Amino acid sequence: MARLGWGSAPISAAGSGRPGSTLLSPSPGERNLTAGIASERAGSLARLWSWAKRVNLAYKFAVVLAVAVVASAIGTYSAVLGIPPFGNHATINQLFLLLNLILVLPLCGIIFWRVAQVWAERRRGLAGSRLHIRLVLLFGLVAVIPTIIVAVFSYLLFSFGVQSWFSERVRTALSESLAVAEGYLHEHQNTIRADVGSMAADLERDSQFLIMEPERFGQMVEAQAALRSLTEAVVFDGEGRILARSGLTASLELEAVPEGAIQQANAGNIAVMTSDNDDRVRALVKLPDFGDVYLYVGRFIDPTVIAHMQQTQSAVAQYQKLEGERSQFQYALSILFLVVGLLLLTGAVWAGLTFATRMARPISSLAAAAEQVRGGDLTARVPEGGDDEFGSLSRAFNRMTHQLETQRAELVAANRQLDDRRRFTETVLAGVSAGVIGLDQRGRINLPNRSASLLLATDLDQRVGQELVASVPEMAGLFEEVRRRPERLAQAQIELTRHHRSQTLLVRIAAERVDGEVNGYIVTFDDITELVSAQRKAAWADVARRIAHEIKNPLTPIQLSAERLKRKYAREIANDPETFANCTDTIIRHVGDIGRMVDEFSSFARMPAPLMKEEDLVELVRQAVFLQRTSTPEIRFRVDVPDRVMVYCDARQVGQALVNILKNAAESIQGRDDGAPPGEIVVVVTALPQQIQVSIADNGRGLPIEGRERLTEPYVTTRAKGTGLGLAIVKKIMEDHHGELLLEDREGGGACVRLVFTRSAAAEEVKPAPVRAAHGA
């Protein structure tokens, strides 16, 4: 045989006729053939396994094996006890021992296989596997513990029984019984020996007469036998002729005298004998005075005593035999008992496993189905068993899951309709500009719309389930009012401040009632801040027109009269002319102030429509900064603007707006406390893709936190001498230019005001230029 190793040459294919052909790898055809065979075998095994599962072959095999185990145990028991037809034969016992071992091995294999299956189910975490293991352990212990206890106690009982059978007391009793029986026989033998001796002496004393008279000899023998209660007696010579006898000697005549007894008698001794069945005792003695003559006598023994003696002898012999074979017998029975016990033990364990499996299977099925139901699969069903409690439970579970499935389908359909209605309602509410909040009976938020969150500056979707009064404390009073009187609509205006921004909301709260019971509340509110502001502006505009009309007319005569008095009478007054001059100057000055105030009222009340044309916003900013720098040289101005930014605007109105803002910034700086840093105003023009911004920032006192939104209303001011019309005019100008006025805080302190122009109102051309800064002296 060729050997392959390192450096070995290729082996030529036998019979190929082509040198160099090798057998290192099979051909594709051989590989396909091998794969086909393997596939066919796998298919055969799969079909066999499927058939075994379909016909429940494992269970049937186990049942047959259990029946065989029971039959083998019964046969073994019968063979040990010697019950027909087996009898007590060692060969049969060995055969049954071998059969029990053969049956125990597959039964143990089935038990181990079932235990391995249960453990594998537990490792995989299958539903009910823990309960299955507990039941297996429980029934296994219930089956094993009693069997082991019975086996141990049976073995101990057997051992103690064997020891008691061969105890010293039993041995002594049997020995004494045999001795008693033998003593009884020996007593009869000694008695008959004495009787035959004395009878022989009596006969020899009269031997000379008796030989001559045979008839007298016979009478003498019969009398001597009767005197000594001998049941039989005979006198015969050496040739066997009977010389005399008693009345009953048939048994002696029929039985031959043993040769040993004759020899013993010839030696001058008395030979004592017993019959084969030990029913009588015989004695033989020689009568030398008669010559070669022998006296042969016999006496019957009580047959009951003889029977007892025979039984005692048989029992003692059997006991001695068993005692000699005790170790071997005990070992054989112990092995046989151990095998039978193991057989019964494995059978009990298998029965416990089977019962535990049958009990755990429906519970496991229910647990698995319940897990499916917990996961949302309401189509889960369990096999319905018989008419026991498990079958009733399985049918109840299937009915329950069917009802749940039906109800869930109905609920899904109803929820789908509710979702459709909810989406429709939310769509409607989302398209409403007013805020709408739905409350439950306890005043908790359950359905807010997007406008409500925007108006309240709070994400109400995150506050669903919270009370309205906790989320919007300003509505607490109105909500308490509608709770006290749910049949009436509660309505009021509230002031709401969020993120330093004040709003005026018109809030309405109505209770939703069904059959007199309150099911919830509906809160609706609108932002009327601009409306209230517009109303105030309209009212103040009307007041401004009346003031301008009623006050401006008498101002001119008053001013002219004061100036005429000063010119005409200033030289004529000799007494205290300075007082006269101060009074007339005061009148003229205050009339001028009142005139300028009336002009502001007139400007606010009669703001002309803007004349829109293309203007350079940068130039307007520079002009306004120049005017303010001239009037307040102590303040530093810094301007950051490009070369040119063109917008469509009214140059006069935009210039007025810039001047008003710069004036407010300068007055804010001048109103600071002593010791403040030098005043500074920064003006920045920024061109963005969608808008143009003009930012004016100062380091003055800044804006108030509360009521900031009302600073743009007429006659709202934080200064003692202000009229409150500056920002109102600026806001009106920006509204006419479709822009915005933004009031913000400056980083580091102060205020920042932004004028925002949208691209739709601007046509700009931006040319980059370095930053220019202008500093006031």
Side-chain angles (χ1 to χ4, degrees), residues 431-755:
V432 176
S433 60
V436 180
I437 302 176
L439 308 178
D440 60 8
Q441 297 178 354
R442 300 175 60 182
R444 293 176 300 190
I445 301 172
N446 56 18
L447 182 61
N449 70 340
R450 184 173 56 186
S451 298
S453 299
L454 295 176
L455 292 176
L456 297 178
T458 303
D459 189 1
L460 296 179
D461 291 331
Q462 302 296 328
R463 296 177 178 264
V464 172
Q466 298 183 9
E467 294 184 358
L468 176 67
V469 296
S471 300
V472 190
E474 293 82 358
M475 297 184 183
L478 198 61
F479 181 70
E480 289 298 327
E481 179 181 350
V482 77
R483 290 187 67 176
R484 289 194 302 269
R485 305 182 65 179
E487 71 280 357
R488 298 187 62 180
L489 174 68
Q491 176 176 327
Q493 291 184 10
I494 65 172
E495 295 293 331
L496 190 68
T497 302
R498 294 289 186 273
H499 306 297
H500 307 299
R501 182 173 180 268
S502 299
Q503 291 177 285
T504 302
L505 301 180
L506 178 61
V507 184
R508 302 180 183 89
I509 302 180
E512 180 184 0
R513 298 190 300 165
V514 177
D515 297 332
E517 296 291 333
V518 177
N519 291 337
Y521 302 90
I522 302 297
V523 181
T524 59
F525 50 92
D526 291 290
D527 185 2
I528 59 172
T529 304
E530 298 296 333
L531 177 61
V532 172
S533 178
Q535 290 177 349
R536 290 197 189 101
K537 290 179 181 179
W540 279 112
D542 183 66
V543 171
R545 283 193 298 271
R546 293 179 181 275
I547 291 175
H549 178 72
E550 298 295 336
I551 296 179
K552 190 174 183 178
N553 288 336
L555 283 180
T556 301
I558 292 174
Q559 183 178 4
L560 293 175
S561 298
E563 291 176 352
R564 185 176 179 184
L565 288 173
K566 182 179 181 180
R567 286 195 307 269
K568 186 175 181 179
Y569 298 105
R571 296 186 182 92
E572 296 179 2
I573 295 176
N575 186 15
D576 199 5
E578 293 181 0
T579 301
F580 177 77
N582 290 333
C583 289
T584 54
D585 290 339
T586 300
I587 293 173
I588 294 172
R589 187 173 61 255
H590 283 286
V591 167
D593 294 338
I594 294 173
R596 286 191 297 273
M597 184 180 298
V598 170
D599 290 337
E600 290 183 4
F601 285 147
S602 180
S603 299
F604 174 74
R606 299 177 180 179
M607 181 72 66
L611 300 176
M612 308 293 289
K613 64 178 180 178
E614 191 175 19
E615 299 288 349
D616 186 1
L617 182 60
V618 173
E619 184 61 28
L620 296 178
V621 168
R622 287 173 179 166
Q623 292 176 4
V625 169
F626 175 76
L627 293 176
Q628 191 61 41
R629 184 192 304 121
T630 302
S631 61
T632 54
E634 73 278 5
I635 298 176
R636 179 188 178 192
F637 287 84
R638 187 156 55 91
V639 181
D640 183 3
V641 296
D643 283 347
R644 186 173 63 173
V645 177
M646 304 302 295
V647 297
Y648 281 96
C649 65
D650 187 323
R652 187 185 64 82
Q653 292 185 2
V654 172
Q656 183 181 0
L658 293 172
V659 169
N660 288 351
I661 295 173
L662 291 171
K663 180 181 177 183
N664 288 342
E667 291 176 353
S668 177
I669 292 173
Q670 292 172 351
R672 295 180 304 173
D673 297 334
D674 295 339
E680 182 183 31
I681 298 176
V682 179
V683 182
V684 180
V685 177
T686 306
L688 300 176
Q690 300 296 330
Q691 59 187 12
I692 300 172
Q693 294 184 3
V694 179
S695 300
I696 301 174
D698 64 78
N699 59 350
R701 293 183 304 173
L703 301 173
I705 297 177
E706 301 294 336
R708 181 175 300 184
E709 298 297 326
R710 296 195 59 189
L711 292 177
T712 58
E713 296 181 6
Y715 308 107
V716 176
T717 182
T718 59
R719 298 190 303 274
K721 297 181 179 181
T723 60
L725 293 176
L727 290 179
I729 293 173
V730 174
K731 184 172 180 62
K732 183 66 170 60
I733 292 173
M734 293 307 297
E735 289 177 352
D736 291 341
H737 284 74
H738 305 287
E740 288 185 275
L741 172 64
L742 303 178
L743 304 179
E744 301 173 354
D745 293 324
R746 175 180 174 272
E747 294 183 4
C752 179
V753 180
R754 298 179 187 274
L755 302 180

Side-chain angles (χ1 to χ4, degrees), residues 158-201:
F158 171 74
S159 299
F160 292 152
V162 170
Q163 292 178 4
S164 63
W165 293 345
F166 298 99
S167 64
E168 188 64 28
R169 290 183 298 174
V170 175
R171 188 180 300 107
T172 301
L174 289 175
S175 299
E176 294 298 330
S177 299
L178 181 61
V180 169
E182 292 177 349
Y184 177 79
L185 183 60
H186 291 161
E187 181 182 359
H188 278 274
Q189 290 175 349
N190 293 332
T191 302
I192 201 170
R193 179 181 288 110
D195 290 339
V196 73
S198 61
M199 184 177 176

